[in-house]
Amino acid sequence: MKPLSNQILVTSALPYANGQIHIGHLVEYIQTDIWVRFLRMQHKEIYYIGADDTHGTPIMLRAQAENITPKELIDRVWLEHKRDFDDFHISFDHYGSTDSPENKELASQIYLALQNNDLIEKKAIEQAYDPVKEMFLPDRFIKGECPKCHAKDQYGDSCEKCGATYSPTDLLNPYSAVSGATPIRKVSEHYFFKLSDPRCEAFLRDWTQVSTPLQTEAKNKMKEWVGEPGESKLGDWDISRDAPYFGFEIPGAPGKYFYVWLDAPVGYFGSFKAFCEKNNLNFQEWIGPNTTTDMYHFIGKDILYFHTLFWPAMLKFADLRTPTNVFAHGFLTVDGEKMSKSRGTFITAHSFIESGLSPEWLRYYFAAKLNNSLEDLDLNLNDFIARVNSDLLGKYINIASRSAGFLVKNFGGKVLASALNNPLLVNLRERSKEVAALYEQREFAKTIRLIMEMADSVNIFVDSNKPWDIAKQLKASDSSELRHELQSVCTVTLEAFRILSIYLKPVLPTLAKGVEAFLNIPEMHWESVHVPLSEDRPINPYKHLMSRVETEMIDRLLEANKSSM
């Protein structure tokens, strides 16, 4: 990974406005947020931009079913999504919508630039058509019998029972999922982005294999799609849909709309443009082809194709900047299995909060599992309870609770300056570059392991010096030597706790604020590691910083998600 710029635009994939945020989604937003918060602590000019993905047939049909307009639907869902992201401390600088005037303008601008570059072509294609609803049907809205295993009620592109993929025309006894009518075949003119053009192929071969430091797994997957020089593997991309459709009409093509996957990634720019206009930033300086800024996308591996082929090609030939890199992550399983509504493991973000669980528990657990690869990760609920209670309560919080009371009671909360260069503290501070490098590389699991190893060393120090025994002796004999020893041990312990809190702040931002208030210190930044506690700022009495996870909470969460089916 090349050195980071001091000006960085970061995005997560845009959640579709046709459903709730669940814990599988949260893997990505938490991963992104931790990275962004770390870089903010290093004083980078970094903007984290998000938006709801709002267009397409499913939105239109759901709004019809609820007897509301699509706009009313997406406005309602936007509020729900924003609530959930706020609950999990996802710190977007701006959270917009793809159904915005900025996005409409930019989508049209990019399309017209591609058209001027002779990269848009009109073709007649045959599609499934619902004669009752008088609309063309996307593959997922055609159902029927699987041609391979003969399972009933399977989608038009794949069978959920045997895993076979096929064309909607291969389905046996097909029917419209919208009206139940038998689809007919009908020809329509569609607009295609000519991804097979030699210019696009040459650019994408270089962008995916040479000039962009994609993850190894992503680079290999891209190689399968772009092929070797001289091969022609890329097909043209259908970027239009027929009315009725909820979306943006294509300029100069009445009754034709941009396919949702064209204007959705443009939504990154649309949302950022709205932010720039509110904050007097020069939008063009960030998106121009010669920009010196960085742009990083965090996505799930299932949408790698769109973000590493279609999106960079659109940008390149619309004379806009391409992504600096695309970071993909794996899928989430729960207790080793796919999330399931029947087992209550298809867990929504809101139910997690409503069941009384702390969002920072999940942030910590995901951080402890995440690395910079495309590997899947598992939320093992028993391990979740054990790890949060053991690591955060037993190893980390326990450090403060074991020493703060002695310092407040015996020394008015004042630390001992001469103890602040104890070898243990020198060692903890020296690890800051190592911790920072792991955060920057998105190796969060390694980061957490390193921090917990440091916490272990602090607990060994506390157990070896036994401040409770010193305090007991001091009560019996008020000697200056014992006072000095007790104040010294408590000072080292609380300074170590402060350093660990800095290292954990990107993961546990709300807890970090509580630590700042407890220790009576300014807002912690990365360089704060080298600015120790001060005799002139006595710490405050210790207050409860975090509670334990109880098994009953998990039981309540699973039950809540079973009943919400």
Side-chain angles (χ1 to χ4, degrees):
M1 184 171 167
K2 78 177 184 69
L4 293 171
S5 162
N6 283 321
Q7 294 180 299
I8 307 169
L9 173 61
V10 179
T11 73
S12 300
L14 311 184
Y16 199 43
N18 193 34
Q20 294 177 287
I21 301 299
H22 56 69
I23 57 170
H25 294 127
L26 287 173
V27 170
E28 179 174 310
Y29 300 102
I30 288 172
Q31 181 188 36
T32 315
D33 188 71
I34 290 171
W35 198 66
V36 167
R37 285 180 182 273
F38 161 69
L39 293 175
R40 285 184 186 136
M41 288 180 72
Q42 297 213 320
H43 305 290
K44 300 283 188 184
E45 183 184 356
I46 183 167
Y47 301 113
Y48 182 17
I49 301 299
D52 266 6
D53 178 8
T54 58
H55 291 155
T57 303
I59 300 291
M60 179 183 72
L61 294 176
R62 180 178 170 187
Q64 288 176 3
E66 295 188 22
N67 199 30
I68 58 176
T69 67
K71 185 70 168 62
E72 288 172 324
L73 172 63
I74 64 174
D75 286 349
R76 186 187 76 207
V77 173
W78 187 94
L79 291 172
E80 294 169 358
H81 286 181
K82 189 65 169 61
R83 172 203 66 198
D84 293 342
F85 290 137
D86 289 346
D87 282 345
F88 281 85
H89 315 316
I90 309 303
S91 57
F92 291 111
D93 289 287
H94 184 77
Y95 192 78
S97 165
T98 59
D99 191 51
S100 70
E102 295 88 0
N103 203 39
K104 183 175 183 178
E105 174 192 342
L106 287 165
S108 297
Q109 174 188 321
I110 289 171
Y111 169 81
L112 292 171
L114 297 177
Q115 189 177 62
N116 289 339
N117 255 323
D118 194 29
L119 288 170
I120 300 295
E121 184 176 9
K122 190 159 55 171
K123 302 179 187 178
I125 62 170
E126 189 179 58
Q127 292 178 282
Y129 184 82
D130 185 326
V132 174
K133 292 292 288 185
E134 297 183 327
M135 61 179 287
F136 287 97
L137 293 168
D139 293 351
R140 299 292 283 181
F141 284 86
I142 307 165
K143 299 186 83 172
E145 184 180 326
C146 172
K148 304 289 175 62
C149 73
H150 300 285
K152 308 289 187 186
D153 298 320
Q154 297 306 307
Y155 290 109
D157 55 357
S158 64
C159 176
E160 291 188 330
K161 186 167 184 182
C162 73
T165 58
Y166 40 73
S167 166
T169 54
D170 297 328
L171 271 180
L172 305 176
N173 303 313
Y175 64 92
S176 165
V178 183
S179 70
T182 301
I184 61 174
R185 308 304 295 172
K186 192 171 180 179
V187 173
S188 176
E189 284 193 327
H190 273 226
Y191 292 79
F192 287 79
F193 176 25
K194 292 159 63 175
L195 211 61
S196 62
D197 185 285
R199 292 171 292 169
C200 289
E201 289 194 336
F203 162 70
L204 288 170
R205 198 169 285 118
D206 173 77
W207 192 85
T208 62
Q209 301 303 306
V210 180
S211 61
T212 308
L214 295 173
Q215 294 145 292
T216 302
E217 309 101 309
K219 185 166 288 196
N220 291 340
K221 178 56 70 175
M222 294 303 103
K223 194 169 186 177
E224 291 177 22
W225 289 330
V226 299
E228 300 289 347
E231 289 185 289
S232 182
K233 285 195 165 188
L234 294 171
D236 294 339
W237 179 36
D238 187 348
I239 60 167
S240 65
R241 293 296 183 266
D242 292 280
Y245 190 82
F246 181 57
F248 296 142
E249 199 166 44
I250 297 175
K256 304 291 181 180
Y257 291 79
F258 287 128
Y259 172 43
V260 62
W261 263 108
L262 183 130
D263 71 68
V266 178
Y268 299 139
F269 282 0
S271 188
F272 184 53
K273 188 172 193 290
F275 174 77
C276 289
E277 289 170 352
K278 289 178 183 175
N279 293 276
N280 297 316
L281 285 178
N282 189 324
F283 177 63
Q284 290 302 322
E285 286 184 0
W286 287 75
I287 69 158
N290 300 314
T291 182
T292 57
T293 65
D294 285 343
M295 178 170 73
Y296 295 97
H297 300 305
F298 284 75
I299 61 165
K301 62 184 178 182
D302 54 324
I303 55 174
L304 195 61
Y305 193 86
F306 294 97
H307 283 79
T308 55
L309 293 179
F310 300 152
W311 176 231
M314 285 165 56
L315 294 172
K316 169 67 176 177
F317 294 101
D319 198 30
L320 297 169
R321 61 97 36 82
T322 53
T324 309
N325 210 342
V326 176
F327 301 139
H329 60 83
F331 300 132
L332 178 72
T333 55
V334 180
D335 288 340
E337 298 182 42
K338 187 177 178 181
M339 291 191 297
S340 161
K341 289 185 178 179
S342 64
R343 289 185 290 114
T345 58
F346 196 94
I347 298 168
T348 65
H350 193 53
S351 70
F352 192 95
I353 300 298
E354 291 287 288
S355 298
L357 287 95
S358 166
E360 297 209 318
W361 294 340
L362 192 67
R363 288 177 66 98
Y364 179 80
Y365 190 80
F366 281 169
K369 292 270 190 161
L370 277 162
N371 57 34
N372 61 10
S373 79
L374 275 66
E375 292 175 2
D376 295 343
L377 65 155
D378 183 55
L379 168 58
N380 180 290
L381 293 171
N382 288 328
D383 180 53
F384 170 77
I385 296 170
R387 187 177 296 226
V388 169
N389 289 342
S390 171
D391 285 6
L392 291 184
L393 278 298
K395 292 185 180 182
Y396 166 58
I397 298 291
N398 197 36
I399 293 170
S401 64
R402 296 172 86 186
S403 297
F406 300 126
L407 200 66
V408 171
K409 181 179 179 181
N410 295 282
F411 308 101
K414 291 186 177 182
V415 296
L416 185 65
S418 62
L420 289 166
N421 285 317
N422 182 283
L424 172 66
L425 301 177
V426 172
N427 178 264
L428 294 183
R429 293 185 192 115
E430 286 176 347
R431 310 301 289 272
S432 66
K433 287 184 180 178
E434 187 179 355
V435 178
L438 290 172
Y439 267 127
E440 185 174 317
Q441 294 158 15
R442 308 177 324 286
E443 289 283 11
F444 297 160
K446 290 180 181 177
T447 311
I448 294 298
R449 280 199 298 275
L450 177 58
I451 296 170
M452 286 303 126
E453 285 172 12
M454 288 188 271
D456 286 337
S457 71
V458 178
N459 280 300
I460 289 170
F461 171 85
V462 177
D463 290 337
S464 299
N465 287 276
K466 298 181 174 58
W468 50 90
D469 281 352
I470 304 171
K472 192 181 294 183
Q473 295 171 38
L474 184 62
K475 197 172 182 181
S477 170
D478 188 19
S479 79
S480 59
E481 186 177 329
L482 286 173
R483 284 183 62 81
H484 183 275
E485 185 180 359
L486 180 60
Q487 190 177 17
S488 176
V489 169
C490 292
T491 295
V492 172
T493 304
L494 288 171
E495 171 65 3
F497 178 72
R498 185 191 70 87
I499 295 168
L500 295 176
S501 299
I502 293 170
Y503 294 158
L504 285 169
K505 185 175 179 179
V507 180
L508 306 170
T510 300
L511 189 145
K513 286 182 182 177
V515 170
E516 290 162 355
F518 155 54
L519 294 178
N520 190 25
I521 56 176
E523 181 182 356
M524 297 183 291
H525 299 286
W526 205 256
E527 72 274 13
S528 303
V529 166
H530 303 291
V531 183
L533 291 168
S534 169
E535 288 180 318
D536 299 328
R537 298 176 71 103
I539 70 163
N540 292 310
Y542 176 78
K543 290 183 179 179
H544 197 53
L545 288 169
M546 180 174 277
S547 58
R548 293 174 56 84
V549 189
E550 302 296 344
T551 305
E552 295 75 21
M553 296 175 175
I554 302 299
D555 293 340
R556 189 161 60 240
L557 177 66
L558 297 178
E559 193 58 38
N561 283 281
K562 282 181 187 174
S563 63
S564 66
M565 286 174 58

